[in-house]
């Protein structure tokens, strides 16, 4: 830890002017329990200090610049519940905290950034770059995004809006965000495992529209609402070392949760279509809530497994066989109910070989149906009239 001070401000008895603070390889772990207690809340209250006869005169500090070199940050808030981790952080920031109104300018990079919400990992080990200028109003405790650009892997986005701290209990958000680029390849870089050396040479086409919002109050009992819209039109990608191309990728998806409570989320995938070489995959689903979950969806795929591996590389794996999946579900899913289901599965001439298993599994055949005409658990029927596995 290096700190640069204006020595005259230290001996003068006024506001201590900190010119710069540098942290070398810090490892910072921040945690908030379900009760709201945070592990950085280690200050003795003024009343407790006064009871012990300690000086409670406030120390006034003003910092103008700071830097983090090769840091690590872990943050977990069990009240939300939300978590994030970042490694290889390099960060610089500047702002005149001696004033109530000023601009805070920062530049941040991280070699690996991950984020989870309510047990689901939405961002996994992505490269992060963020250049942000924020208008700071310390009198009102209101912070407004101005010029900014945040990039995960090859996907850049921008934010507009405000974050406020009106009191000790509440944080207010009124933010919108959108993609800065519309090329399909940019959003492909967010797919797990896509950011590899092979991805740099991938051929991709198509357009993307991505936007969303984060709005509301966060405190011990409330969460901000959120939503996003994603559209992919006429997308395609091709790995140069493979013979087939994924084509006709079309996605129309909306996520909306104005209340912020996880159980109230609505996910509407109006369209999902993908051709893996000559093999089509179609689907759509509407999900309303989580417990209970109201579902209305369908998936249909007719895939030659060998052709699939000609589109997307999977190291040390060989697949063959024809796979047909055709299913639909509509109704409520809970601990006591399930949707009305009608599904059909058919696999012929299946073959699997991987590096971990010395002998291949071949001649796999499976035909079956799953039906539930009423939505009652006891009325579920699984019928597998034909299954063939290799002997020995």
């Amino acid at each position: 830890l290096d700190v640069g001070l204006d020595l005259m401000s230290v001996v003068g008895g006024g506001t201590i002017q900190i010119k710069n603070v540098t942290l070398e390889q810090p490892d910072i772990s921040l945690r908030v329990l379900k009760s709201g207690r945070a592990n950085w809340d280690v200050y003795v209250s003024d009343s407790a200090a006064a009871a012990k006869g300690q000086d409670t005169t406030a120390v006034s500090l003003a910092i103008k610049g700071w830097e983090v070199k090769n840091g690590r940050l872990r943050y977990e808030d069990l009240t939300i519940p939300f978590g994030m981790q970042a490694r290889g952080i390099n960060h610089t920031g500047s702002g005149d905290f001696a004033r109530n109104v000023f601009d805070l300018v920062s530049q941040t990079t991280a070699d690996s950034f991950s984020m989870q919400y309510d047990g689901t990992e939405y961002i996994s080990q992505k490269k992060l770059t963020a250049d942000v200028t924020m208008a700071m109003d310390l009198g009102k405790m209101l912070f407004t995004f101005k010029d900014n650009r945040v990039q995960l892997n090859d996907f850049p986005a921008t934010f507009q809006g405000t974050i406020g701290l009106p009191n000790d209990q509440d944080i207010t958000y009124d933010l919108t965000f959108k993609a800065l680029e519309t090329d399909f390849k940019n959003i492909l870089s967010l797919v797990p495992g896509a950011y590899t050396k092979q991805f740099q040479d991938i051929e991709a086409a198509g357009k993307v529209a991505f936007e969303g919002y984060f709005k509301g109050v966060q405190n011990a009992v409330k969460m901000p609402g959120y939503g996003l819209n994603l559209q992919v039109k006429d997308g395609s990608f091709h790995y140069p070392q493979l013979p087939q191309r994924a084509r006709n990728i079309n996605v129309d998806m909306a996520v909306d949760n104005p209340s912020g409570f996880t159980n109230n989320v609505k996910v509407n995938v109006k369209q999902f279509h993908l051709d893996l070489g000559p093999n089509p995959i179609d689907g759509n689903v509407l999900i309303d809530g989580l417990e209970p979950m109201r579902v209305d969806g369908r998936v249909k795929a007719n895939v030659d497994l060998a052709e699939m591996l000609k589109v997307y590389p999977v190291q040390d794996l060989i697949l063959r066989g024809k796979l047909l999946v055709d299913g639909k579900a509509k109704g409520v899913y809970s601990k006591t109910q399930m949707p009305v289901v009608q599904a059909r599965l058919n696999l012929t001439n299946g073959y699997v070989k991987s590096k971990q298993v010395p002998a291949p599994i071949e001649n796999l055949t499976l035909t079956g149906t799953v039906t539930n005409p009423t939505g009652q658990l006891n009325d579920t029927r699984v019928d597998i009239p034909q299954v063939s596995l290799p002997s020995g």
Side-chain angles (χ1 to χ4, degrees):
L1 169 66
D2 293 329
V3 180
L5 298 172
D6 182 335
L7 292 180
M8 295 304 297
S9 71
V10 177
V11 299
T15 299
I16 298 176
Q17 301 286 340
I18 301 176
K19 293 184 176 180
N20 58 75
V21 176
T22 301
L23 294 173
E24 295 267 5
Q25 298 184 12
D27 189 348
I28 302 170
S29 180
L30 305 174
R31 197 162 190 257
V32 182
L33 301 179
K34 288 185 177 181
S35 64
R37 186 173 182 180
N39 67 345
W40 62 83
D41 187 8
V42 296
Y43 297 100
V44 177
S45 67
D46 288 346
S47 58
K52 294 182 179 180
Q54 299 174 354
D55 184 6
T56 60
T57 304
V59 178
S60 180
L61 302 174
I63 184 171
K64 290 190 175 182
W66 55 92
E67 183 176 8
V68 176
K69 297 181 179 179
N70 193 24
R72 181 184 180 188
L73 172 64
R74 289 162 290 177
Y75 175 75
E76 182 181 29
D77 189 337
L78 299 179
T79 65
I80 302 178
F82 170 84
M84 58 162 282
Q85 304 84 35
R87 294 175 178 269
I89 301 171
N90 290 283
H91 167 84
T92 60
S94 62
D96 191 353
F97 279 83
R99 303 169 58 186
N100 275 338
V101 178
F102 62 95
D103 283 352
L104 185 152
V105 181
S106 66
Q107 295 84 36
T108 306
T109 62
D111 295 336
S112 174
F113 176 78
S114 300
M115 186 179 73
Q116 307 85 31
Y117 177 72
D118 197 26
T120 300
E121 189 164 61
Y122 290 95
I123 299 173
S124 178
Q125 298 182 8
K126 305 303 179 186
K127 290 182 179 293
L128 170 69
T129 302
D131 296 327
V132 178
T133 298
M134 184 179 290
M136 310 283 286
D137 188 331
L138 299 185
K140 297 179 180 178
M141 292 302 286
L142 184 66
F143 314 108
T144 303
F145 282 98
K146 297 176 71 174
D147 298 329
N148 65 88
R149 178 187 175 99
V150 178
Q151 182 165 320
L152 288 173
N153 282 356
D154 285 345
F155 183 72
T158 185
F159 293 80
Q160 291 80 35
T162 61
I163 300 175
L165 301 172
N167 52 59
D168 293 339
Q169 290 79 37
D170 297 334
I171 305 176
T172 62
Y173 299 90
D174 189 358
L175 301 173
T176 59
F177 54 88
K178 65 178 181 179
L180 288 173
E181 300 287 348
T182 59
D183 289 340
F184 181 52
K185 185 175 181 179
N186 296 120
I187 202 167
L188 268 185
S189 72
L190 298 182
V191 177
Y195 204 76
T196 62
K197 292 181 180 179
Q198 293 89 342
F199 177 76
Q200 302 302 319
D201 300 323
I202 196 173
E203 303 164 2
K207 294 299 180 181
V208 171
F210 178 82
E211 62 183 6
Y213 73 90
F214 191 70
K215 184 175 182 178
V217 178
Q218 176 185 333
N219 55 34
V221 296
K222 292 182 179 180
M223 277 297 300
Y226 58 88
L228 63 87
N229 296 299
L230 170 66
Q231 291 183 327
V232 179
K233 292 185 177 181
D234 301 323
S236 69
F237 67 87
H238 176 224
Y239 283 85
Q241 71 272 29
L242 295 178
Q244 295 282 8
R245 172 183 290 268
R247 301 175 294 108
N248 298 327
I249 302 172
N250 289 279
V251 179
D252 187 355
M253 181 180 75
V255 178
D256 195 31
N257 189 350
S259 72
F261 292 104
T262 304
N263 195 48
N264 295 338
V265 66
K266 294 183 179 180
V267 180
N268 188 5
V269 182
K270 302 175 186 177
Q271 179 190 24
F272 178 86
H273 178 85
L274 165 66
D275 289 337
L276 291 174
N279 304 282
I281 299 174
D282 283 284
N284 61 272
V285 64
L286 174 63
I287 298 174
D288 186 356
L290 295 180
E291 294 182 3
M293 178 189 296
R294 289 165 290 279
V295 178
D296 185 0
R298 179 168 188 174
V299 61
K300 186 175 183 179
N302 193 356
V303 179
D304 184 325
L305 298 179
E307 294 287 333
M308 183 177 68
L309 293 185
K310 294 179 182 179
V311 175
Y312 190 83
V314 181
Q315 189 174 5
D316 302 322
L317 178 65
I318 299 175
L319 292 176
R320 289 198 294 266
K322 296 291 184 68
L323 176 64
L324 170 67
V325 178
D326 189 354
K328 58 183 179 181
K330 184 175 183 179
V332 176
Y333 176 80
S334 68
K335 294 180 180 179
T336 59
Q337 283 183 281
M338 67 177 295
V340 173
V341 175
Q342 186 175 351
R344 180 165 60 101
L345 173 68
N346 188 32
L347 173 64
T348 58
N349 299 321
Y351 178 96
V352 181
K353 183 178 180 181
S354 66
K355 186 177 181 180
Q356 290 75 21
V357 181
I361 302 173
E362 50 192 340
N363 299 324
L364 292 170
T365 300
L366 174 64
T367 300
T369 59
V370 179
T371 58
N372 186 313
T374 67
Q376 300 300 314
L377 292 176
N378 289 338
D379 292 333
T380 303
R381 179 179 175 85
V382 180
D383 188 9
I384 306 177
Q386 182 182 10
V387 58
S388 175
L389 298 173
S391 60

